[in-house]
Each structure stands twice: as structure tokens, then as C-alpha cells.
Amino acid sequence: MTPIDANSPLDIIFVPAQTGTPIGTIVVLHGWGANHDDLGELVPYFKLPEYQFLFPNAPFDHEYSDTGKMWYSFTGAAQLSDRSVTQLATSREILTTWIESLPDSTGIPLDRTWIAGFSQGGAMTLEIGLDLPVAGLIVLSGYLHQNRAKPPQAAPLVLLVHGRQDDVVPIAAAHKSRQILTQWGVDVRYQEFDMGHSIVPEVLDTVRSFVTN
């Protein structure tokens, strides 16, 4: 895996397509307290050799980890403090600007770019991706921010995947996200698995099918 700049203040890992010229880009956002290496190890298991992957580090250092990063801090039971809201706004601006610049740096248009995220990264996927003309959004064990504004009518297709035994982001959060997105007119594909707050092989199969079909 190769770090690249890509005209961004974010620290980014780039994994090129294994087949040469890529047919698409997949941006993957890590969860709270992890970093861009965490999900980068899954690239071979996605079995998407014709796609290039980009793994950005969140801009904020995690409070309780020397190596972890976060898109914003939590207070109490996943509540957002004034500091959290400010950090969320910063992450949203940085990510949006960077993703909008990707066609110039990668040569792949946004309509061939997918945004994926796990946990807090899944929340950020919905936060920024619903307003972008990307190919699709992949939310793994994530959630929709409570104050998220209704997206435009042209919001991209969304895949929500969640574990029934998730004790970090309860399954009820996924049900609520699906309900709200559907009410907004977003095309949502939803899948539950017998798993906790994790990514099992069946999840990767679901993601691969979503991207390629």
C-alpha cells in the first residue's frame, strides 16, 4: 500500500487496481479509534481487482489511543458535544472537498466512485455521500446522524449492512437509518447478518455484489 497526497490535508493510503487501469474508485472510511491501516488489510478479500482503493485517516487524534484517529469525538452515550459538532463540520468539509477533487487526481469520475465506511466511518459516509453524485454508498455497522438534513432528490444508492448482535452500534440504529432514508426517497438496500460489530466474509460478498451489479 502506498501513501499519496491527492491534494488533501488527509493522510491517505492508495491501493492501485491489480489489473492495471482501474474501472472505479472505492474510498473507505475507518471507524472511531482506528486508522487507515485497519480496513486496508481487507482489500484482497473484497475481490475487486479492477478497482483502486483509497483509505484516508481521519483528521483528529483519538483521545484514548496513540495510533487511533477519529472523525469527531463522542461524549457519553455517543452524544455530540459542541466540540464534537465542530469536529464533525471540519471532517465533513475536508472529506467533501477531497472527494470532489478525486476525478482530477485519479482520472476516475465521481459516478464511478463508491464511498464506504465502518461504524463512525459509515456515519461519515452518509454525512457527506448523500450530497455527492457518486456511484453508491456502503455503510457497514454505521448510523445516520440525528441532525442530518434531507438530501437532494438525486441522492446515490445506499447499502446498509449491520449485525444483529452489534453491541456498539445497536441494530435499532440501522433500522432507524433505513426508515429515515426510505422516507426521504433514497434507494436503500439493507442486509442483516448474525454478527457483532464486525465484518464477516459474507459482508464482503454483499459489498462486492453491490459494487459490480
Side-chain angles (χ1 to χ4, degrees):
M1 294 186 291
T2 306
I4 64 170
D5 180 11
N7 300 316
S8 171
L10 298 169
D11 178 21
I12 300 158
I13 285 178
F14 168 61
V15 182
Q18 299 174 31
T19 55
T21 303
I23 64 172
T25 298
I26 301 177
V27 175
V28 186
L29 309 179
H30 65 76
W32 188 69
N35 58 46
H36 56 16
D37 293 320
D38 185 48
L39 297 176
E41 298 176 353
L42 293 177
V43 169
Y45 304 101
F46 280 108
K47 297 179 181 177
L48 293 168
E50 297 177 317
Y51 293 79
Q52 61 186 6
F53 286 79
L54 294 171
F55 298 87
N57 252 348
F60 300 104
D61 292 332
H62 193 261
E63 296 109 322
Y64 313 119
S65 170
D66 292 336
T67 59
K69 296 287 186 176
M70 62 183 184
W71 302 103
Y72 54 87
S73 61
F74 285 119
T75 302
Q79 299 301 308
L80 298 185
S81 64
D82 290 342
R83 176 170 175 257
S84 303
V85 171
T86 299
Q87 290 173 332
L88 172 57
T90 298
S91 290
R92 179 173 58 240
E93 181 179 359
I94 291 173
L95 275 175
T96 299
T97 300
W98 172 62
I99 289 175
E100 288 177 334
S101 75
L102 285 180
D104 292 333
S105 60
T106 67
I108 303 296
L110 287 182
D111 63 8
R112 296 296 300 167
T113 298
W114 283 258
I115 307 175
F118 176 74
S119 195
Q120 190 184 65
M124 291 305 301
T125 295
L126 290 173
E127 181 69 23
I128 63 170
L130 288 171
D131 299 315
L132 293 172
V134 294
L137 308 178
I138 301 163
V139 181
L140 309 178
S141 303
Y143 52 93
L144 182 70
H145 292 130
Q146 294 182 7
N147 61 348
R148 176 62 171 83
K150 183 178 179 179
Q153 291 185 345
L157 180 67
V158 175
L159 171 66
L160 297 179
V161 178
H162 218 93
R164 299 185 185 96
Q165 292 81 39
D166 194 328
D167 58 358
V168 177
V169 179
I171 190 69
H175 294 165
K176 185 66 173 178
S177 299
R178 176 178 58 172
Q179 176 187 5
I180 294 174
L181 291 170
T182 301
Q183 289 174 347
W184 286 348
V186 178
D187 190 350
V188 178
R189 311 290 169 85
Y190 183 82
Q191 185 72 53
E192 292 181 6
F193 291 97
D194 284 322
M195 65 179 186
H197 197 65
S198 60
I199 300 174
V200 298
E202 291 80 4
V203 170
L204 300 180
D205 293 341
T206 300
V207 171
R208 181 169 58 256
S209 177
F210 178 74
V211 170
T212 57
N213 293 329

